[in-house]
Amino acid sequence: QSVLTQPPSASGTPGQRVTISCSGSSSNIGSNTVNWYQQLPGTAPKLLIYSNNQRPSGVPDRFSGSKSGTSASLAISGLQSEDEADYYCAAWDDSLNGRGVFGGGTKLTVL
Amino acid sequence: EVQLVESGGGLVQPGRSLRLSCAASGFTFDDYAMHWVRQAPGKGLEWVSGISWNSGSIGYADSVKGRFTISRDNAKNSLYLQMNSLRAEDTALYYCAKGGIAVAGTHFDYWGQGTLVTVSS
């Protein structure tokens, strides 16, 4: 069982806006920043959002992140077929001498 | 261009050891923390271990503490993971990932392609 909780699946049609939630606790999301990773089929994860809402160079502005309290969310607007992938939230957890923690991942299907 | 290339994976029997390596290039290696993240077949991502730029701060997941040892050689731009007392549940694709200035509270901005470790008799 993952420390951060994500829905296992999400879906949308091209052009739609979809959101993926990530729920944690005071020791992780509540006190540290949230990052999001995109993993296309058969490839390594790629940083999508860091520090709650920052996009690395090259990531389209269709992707956005937000955080409130012990929860965070990733929004994808103008959904495209190439967005079909697994998405993971992640944060640092201050318990147990500190550790990195991930959500279980959300598989996004573009219908 | 940042490149991270893992090696050292393979098939190993339960209880045996394996040492993974990660060769880094394209950035100033000794300015950044480095991490190992693994992914069991068909499963999600799991942080394994992280090490600061000068090896002064090190952390491990509970699942590997006492069995795995992370280290780095800044002169060789290399990261290592010594894995002892391997178990079937350690079977996974092991990724090397570049962190930030500190081990904690960081994001992983570059990832290697991974090296597969299979623990089976």
Side-chain angles (χ1 to χ4, degrees):
Chain A
Q1 185 138 352
S2 302
V3 174
L4 305 181
T5 301
Q6 297 180 237
S9 63
S11 64
T13 56
Q16 245 187 346
R17 181 178 187 271
V18 297
T19 61
I20 297 172
S21 62
C22 176
S23 177
S25 67
S26 59
S27 64
N28 42 67
I29 293 178
S31 51
N32 293 290
T33 59
V34 177
N35 310 303
W36 290 89
Y37 300 91
Q38 178 193 58
Q39 187 174 33
L40 297 170
T43 69
K46 167 192 165 184
L47 179 64
L48 195 64
I49 297 287
Y50 68 97
S51 297
N52 302 328
N53 55 18
Q54 302 299 300
R55 282 186 309 276
S57 173
V59 173
D61 60 6
R62 302 186 295 105
F63 295 91
S64 62
S66 63
K67 172 185 142 177
S68 178
T70 59
S71 294
S73 62
L74 171 71
I76 310 172
S77 60
L79 197 62
Q80 299 180 4
S81 57
E82 55 260 40
D83 297 334
E84 189 159 290
D86 293 324
Y87 293 84
Y88 295 89
C89 61
W92 193 256
D93 190 294
D94 294 330
S95 64
L96 300 175
N97 296 315
R99 54 177 177 160
V101 291
F102 285 93
T106 298
K107 181 172 182 56
L108 175 63
T109 301
V110 181
L111 303 170
Chain B
E1 179 195 5
V2 172
Q3 283 199 315
L4 299 169
V5 180
E6 303 93 337
S7 61
L11 174 63
V12 61
Q13 294 179 326
R16 303 298 290 265
S17 299
L18 208 58
R19 187 193 195 210
L20 306 184
S21 299
C22 170
S25 62
F27 65 101
T28 306
F29 184 71
D30 54 11
D31 274 353
Y32 296 95
M34 296 294 295
H35 299 261
W36 289 100
V37 177
R38 69 184 181 183
Q39 186 170 34
K43 302 296 184 182
L45 301 171
E46 179 188 16
W47 177 81
V48 174
S49 182
I51 185 169
S52 63
W53 67 276
N54 64 351
S55 305
S57 178
I58 287 175
Y60 297 99
D62 281 353
S63 57
V64 307
K65 199 172 294 183
R67 299 187 299 122
F68 290 11
T69 302
I70 191 172
S71 63
R72 63 190 295 161
D73 185 336
N74 288 343
K76 295 183 178 180
N77 287 355
S78 293
L79 175 72
Y80 306 101
L81 187 66
Q82 177 66 43
M83 304 186 296
N84 298 331
S85 303
L86 282 162
R87 306 167 180 167
E89 54 264 37
D90 296 318
T91 294
L93 188 61
Y94 284 74
Y95 293 105
C96 165
K98 174 181 170 286
I101 303 300
V103 174
T106 186
H107 54 272
F108 313 131
D109 55 359
Y110 290 94
W111 299 62
Q113 288 305 303
T115 186
L116 182 62
V117 173
T118 303
V119 184
S120 174
S121 54

